[in-house]
mmCIF file with all atom_site columns, all heavy atoms in Angstrom:
data_model
loop_
_atom_site.group_PDB
_atom_site.id
_atom_site.type_symbol
_atom_site.label_atom_id
_atom_site.label_alt_id
_atom_site.label_comp_id
_atom_site.label_asym_id
_atom_site.label_entity_id
_atom_site.label_seq_id
_atom_site.pdbx_PDB_ins_code
_atom_site.Cartn_x
_atom_site.Cartn_y
_atom_site.Cartn_z
_atom_site.occupancy
_atom_site.B_iso_or_equiv
_atom_site.pdbx_formal_charge
_atom_site.auth_seq_id
_atom_site.auth_comp_id
_atom_site.auth_asym_id
_atom_site.auth_atom_id
_atom_site.pdbx_PDB_model_num
ATOM 1   N N   . PRO A 1 1  ? 0.860   -1.193  0.007  1.00 68.00 ? 1  PRO A N   1
ATOM 2   C CA  . PRO A 1 1  ? -0.047  0.001   0.008  1.00 68.00 ? 1  PRO A CA  1
ATOM 3   C C   . PRO A 1 1  ? 0.830   1.325   0.006  1.00 68.00 ? 1  PRO A C   1
ATOM 4   O O   . PRO A 1 1  ? 1.817   1.361   0.651  1.00 68.00 ? 1  PRO A O   1
ATOM 5   C CB  . PRO A 1 1  ? -0.798  -0.102  1.363  1.00 68.00 ? 1  PRO A CB  1
ATOM 6   C CG  . PRO A 1 1  ? -0.022  -0.962  2.144  1.00 68.00 ? 1  PRO A CG  1
ATOM 7   C CD  . PRO A 1 1  ? 0.762   -1.942  1.259  1.00 68.00 ? 1  PRO A CD  1
ATOM 8   N N   . PRO A 1 2  ? 0.469   2.287   -0.844 1.00 71.00 ? 2  PRO A N   1
ATOM 9   C CA  . PRO A 1 2  ? 1.301   3.495   -0.838 1.00 71.00 ? 2  PRO A CA  1
ATOM 10  C C   . PRO A 1 2  ? 1.132   4.253   0.503  1.00 71.00 ? 2  PRO A C   1
ATOM 11  O O   . PRO A 1 2  ? 0.136   4.299   1.170  1.00 71.00 ? 2  PRO A O   1
ATOM 12  C CB  . PRO A 1 2  ? 0.568   4.315   -1.963 1.00 71.00 ? 2  PRO A CB  1
ATOM 13  C CG  . PRO A 1 2  ? -0.748  3.670   -2.139 1.00 71.00 ? 2  PRO A CG  1
ATOM 14  C CD  . PRO A 1 2  ? -0.695  2.304   -1.674 1.00 71.00 ? 2  PRO A CD  1
ATOM 15  N N   . GLY A 1 3  ? 2.196   4.852   0.956  1.00 73.00 ? 3  GLY A N   1
ATOM 16  C CA  . GLY A 1 3  ? 2.149   5.723   2.087  1.00 73.00 ? 3  GLY A CA  1
ATOM 17  C C   . GLY A 1 3  ? 2.139   5.066   3.415  1.00 73.00 ? 3  GLY A C   1
ATOM 18  O O   . GLY A 1 3  ? 2.076   5.665   4.438  1.00 73.00 ? 3  GLY A O   1
ATOM 19  N N   . MET A 1 4  ? 2.324   3.665   3.432  1.00 68.00 ? 4  MET A N   1
ATOM 20  C CA  . MET A 1 4  ? 2.408   2.966   4.621  1.00 68.00 ? 4  MET A CA  1
ATOM 21  C C   . MET A 1 4  ? 3.683   3.148   5.245  1.00 68.00 ? 4  MET A C   1
ATOM 22  O O   . MET A 1 4  ? 4.825   3.031   4.599  1.00 68.00 ? 4  MET A O   1
ATOM 23  C CB  . MET A 1 4  ? 2.112   1.490   4.415  1.00 68.00 ? 4  MET A CB  1
ATOM 24  C CG  . MET A 1 4  ? 2.289   0.685   5.644  1.00 68.00 ? 4  MET A CG  1
ATOM 25  S SD  . MET A 1 4  ? 1.038   -0.440  6.011  1.00 68.00 ? 4  MET A SD  1
ATOM 26  C CE  . MET A 1 4  ? -0.517  0.018   5.395  1.00 68.00 ? 4  MET A CE  1
ATOM 27  N N   . PRO A 1 5  ? 3.762   3.405   6.621  1.00 71.00 ? 5  PRO A N   1
ATOM 28  C CA  . PRO A 1 5  ? 5.105   3.509   7.282  1.00 71.00 ? 5  PRO A CA  1
ATOM 29  C C   . PRO A 1 5  ? 5.907   2.158   7.126  1.00 71.00 ? 5  PRO A C   1
ATOM 30  O O   . PRO A 1 5  ? 5.346   1.163   7.204  1.00 71.00 ? 5  PRO A O   1
ATOM 31  C CB  . PRO A 1 5  ? 4.704   3.817   8.764  1.00 71.00 ? 5  PRO A CB  1
ATOM 32  C CG  . PRO A 1 5  ? 3.212   4.213   8.685  1.00 71.00 ? 5  PRO A CG  1
ATOM 33  C CD  . PRO A 1 5  ? 2.729   3.570   7.478  1.00 71.00 ? 5  PRO A CD  1
ATOM 34  N N   . PHE A 1 6  ? 7.230   2.369   7.034  1.00 68.00 ? 6  PHE A N   1
ATOM 35  C CA  . PHE A 1 6  ? 8.028   1.222   6.883  1.00 68.00 ? 6  PHE A CA  1
ATOM 36  C C   . PHE A 1 6  ? 7.850   0.113   7.904  1.00 68.00 ? 6  PHE A C   1
ATOM 37  O O   . PHE A 1 6  ? 7.857   -1.037  7.624  1.00 68.00 ? 6  PHE A O   1
ATOM 38  C CB  . PHE A 1 6  ? 9.544   1.758   6.882  1.00 68.00 ? 6  PHE A CB  1
ATOM 39  C CG  . PHE A 1 6  ? 10.610  0.665   6.827  1.00 68.00 ? 6  PHE A CG  1
ATOM 40  C CD1 . PHE A 1 6  ? 10.810  0.010   5.664  1.00 68.00 ? 6  PHE A CD1 1
ATOM 41  C CD2 . PHE A 1 6  ? 11.208  0.282   7.943  1.00 68.00 ? 6  PHE A CD2 1
ATOM 42  C CE1 . PHE A 1 6  ? 11.680  -0.993  5.669  1.00 68.00 ? 6  PHE A CE1 1
ATOM 43  C CE2 . PHE A 1 6  ? 12.113  -0.795  7.914  1.00 68.00 ? 6  PHE A CE2 1
ATOM 44  C CZ  . PHE A 1 6  ? 12.454  -1.373  6.743  1.00 68.00 ? 6  PHE A CZ  1
ATOM 45  N N   . PHE A 1 7  ? 7.774   0.528   9.108  1.00 69.00 ? 7  PHE A N   1
ATOM 46  C CA  . PHE A 1 7  ? 7.682   -0.487  10.303 1.00 69.00 ? 7  PHE A CA  1
ATOM 47  C C   . PHE A 1 7  ? 6.405   -1.312  10.238 1.00 69.00 ? 7  PHE A C   1
ATOM 48  O O   . PHE A 1 7  ? 6.261   -2.369  10.941 1.00 69.00 ? 7  PHE A O   1
ATOM 49  C CB  . PHE A 1 7  ? 7.972   0.127   11.610 1.00 69.00 ? 7  PHE A CB  1
ATOM 50  C CG  . PHE A 1 7  ? 7.029   1.198   11.956 1.00 69.00 ? 7  PHE A CG  1
ATOM 51  C CD1 . PHE A 1 7  ? 5.844   0.922   12.655 1.00 69.00 ? 7  PHE A CD1 1
ATOM 52  C CD2 . PHE A 1 7  ? 7.297   2.503   11.644 1.00 69.00 ? 7  PHE A CD2 1
ATOM 53  C CE1 . PHE A 1 7  ? 5.016   1.922   13.072 1.00 69.00 ? 7  PHE A CE1 1
ATOM 54  C CE2 . PHE A 1 7  ? 6.340   3.454   12.002 1.00 69.00 ? 7  PHE A CE2 1
ATOM 55  C CZ  . PHE A 1 7  ? 5.278   3.276   12.670 1.00 69.00 ? 7  PHE A CZ  1
ATOM 56  N N   . VAL A 1 8  ? 5.353   -0.818  9.541  1.00 69.00 ? 8  VAL A N   1
ATOM 57  C CA  . VAL A 1 8  ? 4.072   -1.458  9.505  1.00 69.00 ? 8  VAL A CA  1
ATOM 58  C C   . VAL A 1 8  ? 3.865   -2.303  8.263  1.00 69.00 ? 8  VAL A C   1
ATOM 59  O O   . VAL A 1 8  ? 3.044   -3.153  8.216  1.00 69.00 ? 8  VAL A O   1
ATOM 60  C CB  . VAL A 1 8  ? 2.918   -0.496  9.590  1.00 69.00 ? 8  VAL A CB  1
ATOM 61  C CG1 . VAL A 1 8  ? 1.582   -1.156  9.585  1.00 69.00 ? 8  VAL A CG1 1
ATOM 62  C CG2 . VAL A 1 8  ? 3.054   0.380   10.869 1.00 69.00 ? 8  VAL A CG2 1
ATOM 63  N N   . LYS A 1 9  ? 4.827   -2.156  7.315  1.00 70.00 ? 9  LYS A N   1
ATOM 64  C CA  . LYS A 1 9  ? 4.645   -2.776  5.931  1.00 70.00 ? 9  LYS A CA  1
ATOM 65  C C   . LYS A 1 9  ? 4.588   -4.376  5.984  1.00 70.00 ? 9  LYS A C   1
ATOM 66  O O   . LYS A 1 9  ? 3.855   -5.016  5.235  1.00 70.00 ? 9  LYS A O   1
ATOM 67  C CB  . LYS A 1 9  ? 5.728   -2.401  4.916  1.00 70.00 ? 9  LYS A CB  1
ATOM 68  C CG  . LYS A 1 9  ? 5.458   -1.077  4.366  1.00 70.00 ? 9  LYS A CG  1
ATOM 69  C CD  . LYS A 1 9  ? 6.472   -0.822  3.224  1.00 70.00 ? 9  LYS A CD  1
ATOM 70  C CE  . LYS A 1 9  ? 6.053   0.529   2.603  1.00 70.00 ? 9  LYS A CE  1
ATOM 71  N NZ  . LYS A 1 9  ? 6.654   0.793   1.334  1.00 70.00 ? 9  LYS A NZ  1
ATOM 72  N N   . PRO A 1 10 ? 5.281   -4.966  6.932  1.00 77.00 ? 10 PRO A N   1
ATOM 73  C CA  . PRO A 1 10 ? 5.192   -6.444  6.916  1.00 77.00 ? 10 PRO A CA  1
ATOM 74  C C   . PRO A 1 10 ? 3.773   -7.011  7.338  1.00 77.00 ? 10 PRO A C   1
ATOM 75  O O   . PRO A 1 10 ? 3.495   -8.099  6.924  1.00 77.00 ? 10 PRO A O   1
ATOM 76  C CB  . PRO A 1 10 ? 6.150   -6.836  8.022  1.00 77.00 ? 10 PRO A CB  1
ATOM 77  C CG  . PRO A 1 10 ? 7.169   -5.768  8.161  1.00 77.00 ? 10 PRO A CG  1
ATOM 78  C CD  . PRO A 1 10 ? 6.281   -4.506  7.837  1.00 77.00 ? 10 PRO A CD  1
ATOM 79  N N   . LEU A 1 11 ? 2.970   -6.226  8.004  1.00 77.00 ? 11 LEU A N   1
ATOM 80  C CA  . LEU A 1 11 ? 1.688   -6.679  8.458  1.00 77.00 ? 11 LEU A CA  1
ATOM 81  C C   . LEU A 1 11 ? 0.700   -7.032  7.269  1.00 77.00 ? 11 LEU A C   1
ATOM 82  O O   . LEU A 1 11 ? 0.144   -8.106  7.140  1.00 77.00 ? 11 LEU A O   1
ATOM 83  C CB  . LEU A 1 11 ? 1.025   -5.795  9.397  1.00 77.00 ? 11 LEU A CB  1
ATOM 84  C CG  . LEU A 1 11 ? 1.751   -5.708  10.811 1.00 77.00 ? 11 LEU A CG  1
ATOM 85  C CD1 . LEU A 1 11 ? 1.081   -4.682  11.635 1.00 77.00 ? 11 LEU A CD1 1
ATOM 86  C CD2 . LEU A 1 11 ? 1.641   -7.101  11.428 1.00 77.00 ? 11 LEU A CD2 1
ATOM 87  N N   . PRO A 1 12 ? 0.478   -6.028  6.287  1.00 74.00 ? 12 PRO A N   1
ATOM 88  C CA  . PRO A 1 12 ? -0.349  -6.351  5.224  1.00 74.00 ? 12 PRO A CA  1
ATOM 89  C C   . PRO A 1 12 ? 0.155   -7.386  4.236  1.00 74.00 ? 12 PRO A C   1
ATOM 90  O O   . PRO A 1 12 ? -0.545  -8.190  3.734  1.00 74.00 ? 12 PRO A O   1
ATOM 91  C CB  . PRO A 1 12 ? -0.531  -4.958  4.456  1.00 74.00 ? 12 PRO A CB  1
ATOM 92  C CG  . PRO A 1 12 ? 0.507   -4.075  5.093  1.00 74.00 ? 12 PRO A CG  1
ATOM 93  C CD  . PRO A 1 12 ? 0.983   -4.665  6.284  1.00 74.00 ? 12 PRO A CD  1
ATOM 94  N N   . ARG A 1 13 ? 1.493   -7.448  4.215  1.00 75.00 ? 13 ARG A N   1
ATOM 95  C CA  . ARG A 1 13 ? 2.145   -8.531  3.347  1.00 75.00 ? 13 ARG A CA  1
ATOM 96  C C   . ARG A 1 13 ? 1.744   -9.927  3.966  1.00 75.00 ? 13 ARG A C   1
ATOM 97  O O   . ARG A 1 13 ? 1.469   -10.922 3.322  1.00 75.00 ? 13 ARG A O   1
ATOM 98  C CB  . ARG A 1 13 ? 3.636   -8.378  3.284  1.00 75.00 ? 13 ARG A CB  1
ATOM 99  C CG  . ARG A 1 13 ? 4.021   -7.299  2.405  1.00 75.00 ? 13 ARG A CG  1
ATOM 100 C CD  . ARG A 1 13 ? 5.574   -7.103  2.257  1.00 75.00 ? 13 ARG A CD  1
ATOM 101 N NE  . ARG A 1 13 ? 5.777   -5.919  1.585  1.00 75.00 ? 13 ARG A NE  1
ATOM 102 C CZ  . ARG A 1 13 ? 6.913   -5.223  1.790  1.00 75.00 ? 13 ARG A CZ  1
ATOM 103 N NH1 . ARG A 1 13 ? 7.820   -5.568  2.637  1.00 75.00 ? 13 ARG A NH1 1
ATOM 104 N NH2 . ARG A 1 13 ? 7.139   -4.093  1.080  1.00 75.00 ? 13 ARG A NH2 1
ATOM 105 N N   . LEU A 1 14 ? 1.901   -9.993  5.231  1.00 78.00 ? 14 LEU A N   1
ATOM 106 C CA  . LEU A 1 14 ? 1.620   -11.290 5.978  1.00 78.00 ? 14 LEU A CA  1
ATOM 107 C C   . LEU A 1 14 ? 0.137   -11.660 5.723  1.00 78.00 ? 14 LEU A C   1
ATOM 108 O O   . LEU A 1 14 ? -0.226  -12.899 5.426  1.00 78.00 ? 14 LEU A O   1
ATOM 109 C CB  . LEU A 1 14 ? 1.837   -11.171 7.509  1.00 78.00 ? 14 LEU A CB  1
ATOM 110 C CG  . LEU A 1 14 ? 1.571   -12.365 8.303  1.00 78.00 ? 14 LEU A CG  1
ATOM 111 C CD1 . LEU A 1 14 ? 2.529   -13.422 7.975  1.00 78.00 ? 14 LEU A CD1 1
ATOM 112 C CD2 . LEU A 1 14 ? 1.691   -11.964 9.813  1.00 78.00 ? 14 LEU A CD2 1
ATOM 113 N N   . VAL A 1 15 ? -0.791  -10.714 5.895  1.00 77.00 ? 15 VAL A N   1
ATOM 114 C CA  . VAL A 1 15 ? -2.321  -10.972 5.704  1.00 77.00 ? 15 VAL A CA  1
ATOM 115 C C   . VAL A 1 15 ? -2.526  -11.302 4.389  1.00 77.00 ? 15 VAL A C   1
ATOM 116 O O   . VAL A 1 15 ? -3.221  -12.326 4.082  1.00 77.00 ? 15 VAL A O   1
ATOM 117 C CB  . VAL A 1 15 ? -3.111  -9.787  6.154  1.00 77.00 ? 15 VAL A CB  1
ATOM 118 C CG1 . VAL A 1 15 ? -4.498  -9.955  5.798  1.00 77.00 ? 15 VAL A CG1 1
ATOM 119 C CG2 . VAL A 1 15 ? -2.908  -9.536  7.705  1.00 77.00 ? 15 VAL A CG2 1
ATOM 120 N N   . ALA A 1 16 ? -1.997  -10.640 3.429  1.00 73.00 ? 16 ALA A N   1
ATOM 121 C CA  . ALA A 1 16 ? -2.240  -10.886 1.948  1.00 73.00 ? 16 ALA A CA  1
ATOM 122 C C   . ALA A 1 16 ? -1.680  -12.324 1.608  1.00 73.00 ? 16 ALA A C   1
ATOM 123 O O   . ALA A 1 16 ? -2.281  -13.118 0.838  1.00 73.00 ? 16 ALA A O   1
ATOM 124 C CB  . ALA A 1 16 ? -1.726  -9.890  1.058  1.00 73.00 ? 16 ALA A CB  1
ATOM 125 N N   . GLY A 1 17 ? -0.606  -12.634 2.091  1.00 72.00 ? 17 GLY A N   1
ATOM 126 C CA  . GLY A 1 17 ? 0.146   -13.977 1.854  1.00 72.00 ? 17 GLY A CA  1
ATOM 127 C C   . GLY A 1 17 ? -0.781  -15.084 2.346  1.00 72.00 ? 17 GLY A C   1
ATOM 128 O O   . GLY A 1 17 ? -0.895  -16.105 1.670  1.00 72.00 ? 17 GLY A O   1
ATOM 129 N N   . GLN A 1 18 ? -1.363  -14.962 3.491  1.00 72.00 ? 18 GLN A N   1
ATOM 130 C CA  . GLN A 1 18 ? -2.292  -15.980 4.129  1.00 72.00 ? 18 GLN A CA  1
ATOM 131 C C   . GLN A 1 18 ? -3.499  -16.118 3.290  1.00 72.00 ? 18 GLN A C   1
ATOM 132 O O   . GLN A 1 18 ? -4.020  -17.295 3.127  1.00 72.00 ? 18 GLN A O   1
ATOM 133 C CB  . GLN A 1 18 ? -2.468  -15.707 5.577  1.00 72.00 ? 18 GLN A CB  1
ATOM 134 C CG  . GLN A 1 18 ? -1.339  -15.774 6.478  1.00 72.00 ? 18 GLN A CG  1
ATOM 135 C CD  . GLN A 1 18 ? -0.762  -17.158 6.429  1.00 72.00 ? 18 GLN A CD  1
ATOM 136 O OE1 . GLN A 1 18 ? -1.446  -18.197 6.491  1.00 72.00 ? 18 GLN A OE1 1
ATOM 137 N NE2 . GLN A 1 18 ? 0.577   -17.186 6.360  1.00 72.00 ? 18 GLN A NE2 1
ATOM 138 N N   . VAL A 1 19 ? -4.033  -15.036 2.799  1.00 71.00 ? 19 VAL A N   1
ATOM 139 C CA  . VAL A 1 19 ? -5.292  -15.095 2.041  1.00 71.00 ? 19 VAL A CA  1
ATOM 140 C C   . VAL A 1 19 ? -5.004  -15.686 0.701  1.00 71.00 ? 19 VAL A C   1
ATOM 141 O O   . VAL A 1 19 ? -5.681  -16.653 0.237  1.00 71.00 ? 19 VAL A O   1
ATOM 142 C CB  . VAL A 1 19 ? -5.839  -13.659 1.793  1.00 71.00 ? 19 VAL A CB  1
ATOM 143 C CG1 . VAL A 1 19 ? -6.939  -13.653 0.746  1.00 71.00 ? 19 VAL A CG1 1
ATOM 144 C CG2 . VAL A 1 19 ? -6.358  -13.046 3.058  1.00 71.00 ? 19 VAL A CG2 1
ATOM 145 N N   . GLU A 1 20 ? -3.894  -15.441 -0.011 1.00 66.00 ? 20 GLU A N   1
ATOM 146 C CA  . GLU A 1 20 ? -3.560  -16.061 -1.247 1.00 66.00 ? 20 GLU A CA  1
ATOM 147 C C   . GLU A 1 20 ? -3.281  -17.539 -0.988 1.00 66.00 ? 20 GLU A C   1
ATOM 148 O O   . GLU A 1 20 ? -3.699  -18.343 -1.823 1.00 66.00 ? 20 GLU A O   1
ATOM 149 C CB  . GLU A 1 20 ? -2.186  -15.459 -1.786 1.00 66.00 ? 20 GLU A CB  1
ATOM 150 C CG  . GLU A 1 20 ? -2.533  -14.132 -2.458 1.00 66.00 ? 20 GLU A CG  1
ATOM 151 C CD  . GLU A 1 20 ? -1.193  -13.543 -2.965 1.00 66.00 ? 20 GLU A CD  1
ATOM 152 O OE1 . GLU A 1 20 ? -0.096  -13.788 -2.387 1.00 66.00 ? 20 GLU A OE1 1
ATOM 153 O OE2 . GLU A 1 20 ? -1.303  -12.849 -3.960 1.00 66.00 ? 20 GLU A OE2 1
ATOM 154 N N   . LYS A 1 21 ? -2.681  -17.826 0.126  1.00 68.00 ? 21 LYS A N   1
ATOM 155 C CA  . LYS A 1 21 ? -2.314  -19.389 0.349  1.00 68.00 ? 21 LYS A CA  1
ATOM 156 C C   . LYS A 1 21 ? -3.614  -20.083 0.461  1.00 68.00 ? 21 LYS A C   1
ATOM 157 O O   . LYS A 1 21 ? -3.777  -21.276 -0.072 1.00 68.00 ? 21 LYS A O   1
ATOM 158 C CB  . LYS A 1 21 ? -1.452  -19.380 1.626  1.00 68.00 ? 21 LYS A CB  1
ATOM 159 C CG  . LYS A 1 21 ? -0.968  -20.737 1.873  1.00 68.00 ? 21 LYS A CG  1
ATOM 160 C CD  . LYS A 1 21 ? -0.109  -20.772 3.144  1.00 68.00 ? 21 LYS A CD  1
ATOM 161 C CE  . LYS A 1 21 ? 0.290   -22.175 3.626  1.00 68.00 ? 21 LYS A CE  1
ATOM 162 N NZ  . LYS A 1 21 ? 1.128   -22.154 4.752  1.00 68.00 ? 21 LYS A NZ  1
ATOM 163 N N   . ALA A 1 22 ? -4.567  -19.634 1.242  1.00 66.00 ? 22 ALA A N   1
ATOM 164 C CA  . ALA A 1 22 ? -5.820  -20.282 1.430  1.00 66.00 ? 22 ALA A CA  1
ATOM 165 C C   . ALA A 1 22 ? -6.663  -20.399 0.153  1.00 66.00 ? 22 ALA A C   1
ATOM 166 O O   . ALA A 1 22 ? -7.132  -21.511 -0.076 1.00 66.00 ? 22 ALA A O   1
ATOM 167 C CB  . ALA A 1 22 ? -6.710  -19.598 2.573  1.00 66.00 ? 22 ALA A CB  1
ATOM 168 N N   . PHE A 1 23 ? -6.729  -19.367 -0.634 1.00 60.00 ? 23 PHE A N   1
ATOM 169 C CA  . PHE A 1 23 ? -7.332  -19.362 -1.870 1.00 60.00 ? 23 PHE A CA  1
ATOM 170 C C   . PHE A 1 23 ? -6.674  -20.331 -2.885 1.00 60.00 ? 23 PHE A C   1
ATOM 171 O O   . PHE A 1 23 ? -7.376  -21.080 -3.578 1.00 60.00 ? 23 PHE A O   1
ATOM 172 C CB  . PHE A 1 23 ? -7.339  -17.922 -2.492 1.00 60.00 ? 23 PHE A CB  1
ATOM 173 C CG  . PHE A 1 23 ? -8.103  -17.740 -3.709 1.00 60.00 ? 23 PHE A CG  1
ATOM 174 C CD1 . PHE A 1 23 ? -9.502  -17.755 -3.789 1.00 60.00 ? 23 PHE A CD1 1
ATOM 175 C CD2 . PHE A 1 23 ? -7.470  -17.624 -4.948 1.00 60.00 ? 23 PHE A CD2 1
ATOM 176 C CE1 . PHE A 1 23 ? -10.187 -17.671 -4.949 1.00 60.00 ? 23 PHE A CE1 1
ATOM 177 C CE2 . PHE A 1 23 ? -8.210  -17.553 -6.078 1.00 60.00 ? 23 PHE A CE2 1
ATOM 178 C CZ  . PHE A 1 23 ? -9.568  -17.546 -6.091 1.00 60.00 ? 23 PHE A CZ  1
ATOM 179 N N   . LEU A 1 24 ? -5.484  -20.320 -2.943 1.00 61.00 ? 24 LEU A N   1
ATOM 180 C CA  . LEU A 1 24 ? -4.670  -21.146 -3.845 1.00 61.00 ? 24 LEU A CA  1
ATOM 181 C C   . LEU A 1 24 ? -4.905  -22.689 -3.550 1.00 61.00 ? 24 LEU A C   1
ATOM 182 O O   . LEU A 1 24 ? -5.165  -23.410 -4.466 1.00 61.00 ? 24 LEU A O   1
ATOM 183 C CB  . LEU A 1 24 ? -3.208  -20.891 -3.807 1.00 61.00 ? 24 LEU A CB  1
ATOM 184 C CG  . LEU A 1 24 ? -2.396  -21.572 -4.863 1.00 61.00 ? 24 LEU A CG  1
ATOM 185 C CD1 . LEU A 1 24 ? -2.821  -21.343 -6.274 1.00 61.00 ? 24 LEU A CD1 1
ATOM 186 C CD2 . LEU A 1 24 ? -0.906  -21.161 -4.676 1.00 61.00 ? 24 LEU A CD2 1
ATOM 187 N N   . ALA A 1 25 ? -4.880  -22.947 -2.269 1.00 63.00 ? 25 ALA A N   1
ATOM 188 C CA  . ALA A 1 25 ? -5.059  -24.461 -1.875 1.00 63.00 ? 25 ALA A CA  1
ATOM 189 C C   . ALA A 1 25 ? -6.440  -24.873 -2.254 1.00 63.00 ? 25 ALA A C   1
ATOM 190 O O   . ALA A 1 25 ? -6.596  -26.048 -2.702 1.00 63.00 ? 25 ALA A O   1
ATOM 191 C CB  . ALA A 1 25 ? -4.838  -24.463 -0.333 1.00 63.00 ? 25 ALA A CB  1
ATOM 192 N N   . ARG A 1 26 ? -7.490  -24.042 -2.069 1.00 70.00 ? 26 ARG A N   1
ATOM 193 C CA  . ARG A 1 26 ? -8.793  -24.449 -2.411 1.00 70.00 ? 26 ARG A CA  1
ATOM 194 C C   . ARG A 1 26 ? -8.933  -24.618 -3.860 1.00 70.00 ? 26 ARG A C   1
ATOM 195 O O   . ARG A 1 26 ? -9.575  -25.568 -4.380 1.00 70.00 ? 26 ARG A O   1
ATOM 196 C CB  . ARG A 1 26 ? -9.799  -23.490 -1.933 1.00 70.00 ? 26 ARG A CB  1
ATOM 197 C CG  . ARG A 1 26 ? -11.183 -23.880 -1.898 1.00 70.00 ? 26 ARG A CG  1
ATOM 198 C CD  . ARG A 1 26 ? -12.020 -22.884 -1.173 1.00 70.00 ? 26 ARG A CD  1
ATOM 199 N NE  . ARG A 1 26 ? -11.229 -21.743 -0.521 1.00 70.00 ? 26 ARG A NE  1
ATOM 200 C CZ  . ARG A 1 26 ? -11.767 -20.548 -0.275 1.00 70.00 ? 26 ARG A CZ  1
ATOM 201 N NH1 . ARG A 1 26 ? -12.988 -20.431 -0.503 1.00 70.00 ? 26 ARG A NH1 1
ATOM 202 N NH2 . ARG A 1 26 ? -10.963 -19.678 0.190  1.00 70.00 ? 26 ARG A NH2 1
ATOM 203 N N   . ASN A 1 27 ? -8.373  -23.767 -4.631 1.00 79.00 ? 27 ASN A N   1
ATOM 204 C CA  . ASN A 1 27 ? -8.381  -23.849 -6.132 1.00 79.00 ? 27 ASN A CA  1
ATOM 205 C C   . ASN A 1 27 ? -7.668  -25.078 -6.715 1.00 79.00 ? 27 ASN A C   1
ATOM 206 O O   . ASN A 1 27 ? -8.181  -25.756 -7.568 1.00 79.00 ? 27 ASN A O   1
ATOM 207 C CB  . ASN A 1 27 ? -7.907  -22.565 -6.860 1.00 79.00 ? 27 ASN A CB  1
ATOM 208 C CG  . ASN A 1 27 ? -8.840  -21.504 -6.900 1.00 79.00 ? 27 ASN A CG  1
ATOM 209 O OD1 . ASN A 1 27 ? -10.104 -21.676 -6.788 1.00 79.00 ? 27 ASN A OD1 1
ATOM 210 N ND2 . ASN A 1 27 ? -8.431  -20.273 -7.049 1.00 79.00 ? 27 ASN A ND2 1
ATOM 211 N N   . ILE A 1 28 ? -6.561  -25.319 -6.144 1.00 83.00 ? 28 ILE A N   1
ATOM 212 C CA  . ILE A 1 28 ? -5.770  -26.550 -6.534 1.00 83.00 ? 28 ILE A CA  1
ATOM 213 C C   . ILE A 1 28 ? -6.607  -27.792 -6.284 1.00 83.00 ? 28 ILE A C   1
ATOM 214 O O   . ILE A 1 28 ? -6.715  -28.692 -7.172 1.00 83.00 ? 28 ILE A O   1
ATOM 215 C CB  . ILE A 1 28 ? -4.429  -26.575 -5.875 1.00 83.00 ? 28 ILE A CB  1
ATOM 216 C CG1 . ILE A 1 28 ? -3.463  -25.534 -6.389 1.00 83.00 ? 28 ILE A CG1 1
ATOM 217 C CG2 . ILE A 1 28 ? -3.749  -27.931 -6.027 1.00 83.00 ? 28 ILE A CG2 1
ATOM 218 C CD1 . ILE A 1 28 ? -2.172  -25.349 -5.673 1.00 83.00 ? 28 ILE A CD1 1
ATOM 219 N N   . GLN A 1 29 ? -7.183  -27.887 -5.163 1.00 85.00 ? 29 GLN A N   1
ATOM 220 C CA  . GLN A 1 29 ? -8.002  -29.080 -4.824 1.00 85.00 ? 29 GLN A CA  1
ATOM 221 C C   . GLN A 1 29 ? -9.124  -29.238 -5.802 1.00 85.00 ? 29 GLN A C   1
ATOM 222 O O   . GLN A 1 29 ? -9.354  -30.341 -6.347 1.00 85.00 ? 29 GLN A O   1
ATOM 223 C CB  . GLN A 1 29 ? -8.556  -28.994 -3.402 1.00 85.00 ? 29 GLN A CB  1
ATOM 224 C CG  . GLN A 1 29 ? -9.318  -30.129 -2.938 1.00 85.00 ? 29 GLN A CG  1
ATOM 225 C CD  . GLN A 1 29 ? -8.413  -31.326 -2.706 1.00 85.00 ? 29 GLN A CD  1
ATOM 226 O OE1 . GLN A 1 29 ? -7.251  -31.263 -2.417 1.00 85.00 ? 29 GLN A OE1 1
ATOM 227 N NE2 . GLN A 1 29 ? -8.991  -32.498 -2.767 1.00 85.00 ? 29 GLN A NE2 1
ATOM 228 N N   . SER A 1 30 ? -9.807  -28.186 -6.189 1.00 87.00 ? 30 SER A N   1
ATOM 229 C CA  . SER A 1 30 ? -10.938 -28.292 -7.152 1.00 87.00 ? 30 SER A CA  1
ATOM 230 C C   . SER A 1 30 ? -10.522 -28.584 -8.516 1.00 87.00 ? 30 SER A C   1
ATOM 231 O O   . SER A 1 30 ? -11.038 -29.379 -9.226 1.00 87.00 ? 30 SER A O   1
ATOM 232 C CB  . SER A 1 30 ? -11.732 -26.935 -7.186 1.00 87.00 ? 30 SER A CB  1
ATOM 233 O OG  . SER A 1 30 ? -11.036 -25.954 -7.615 1.00 87.00 ? 30 SER A OG  1
#
C-alpha cells in the first residue's frame, strides 16, 4: 500500500500472503 510507514509494511504482506495461500489451496484441490 502507498504511504504505509516502513515498520508496519510487513503486516499487510503477511495477511495478503495468508489469504492467497488459502485461496490457492482451495483452487488446486478443485
Side-chain angles (χ1 to χ4, degrees):
M4 174 135 331
F6 174 75
F7 60 89
V8 181
K9 280 191 176 192
L11 293 174
R13 288 183 188 146
L14 179 68
V15 171
Q18 293 301 317
V19 169
E20 283 180 329
K21 186 177 177 183
F23 182 74
L24 185 60
R26 196 170 356 155
N27 277 340
I28 288 174
Q29 184 71 22
S30 67

